[in-house]
Amino acid sequence: MDPDFPLFLGGMLAAICGAVAVLVYVVALPGSAVVALAYAFGGLGIVFLLCGMLAALGLWVYQN
């Protein structure tokens, strides 16, 4: 497997979570509990990106 695939997959999932986080944040009323949901989606996007980067690094080290 190419190390680019997990990086691409993690980046795409992070972009989707980021887009959802922005949409929820824009629609939510200031001070409402829904803002926490936007932050949660943003955090989930960061986790997806980090997992993709870690998997790509692991595959690169394994192949080299």
Side-chain angles (χ1 to χ4, degrees), residues 21-55:
V22 168
L23 287 174
V24 169
Y25 189 79
V26 167
V27 172
L29 296 172
S32 102
V34 181
V35 175
L37 182 66
Y39 286 123
F41 271 111
L44 184 64
I46 291 172
V47 168
F48 278 137
L49 185 60
L50 290 176
C51 286
M53 289 170 55
L54 187 62

Side-chain angles (χ1 to χ4, degrees), residues 1-11 52 55-57 59-60 63:
M1 178 184 288
D2 192 26
D4 291 338
F5 178 69
L7 189 60
F8 170 76
L9 189 62
L57 179 66
L59 282 173
W60 182 76
Q63 289 178 353

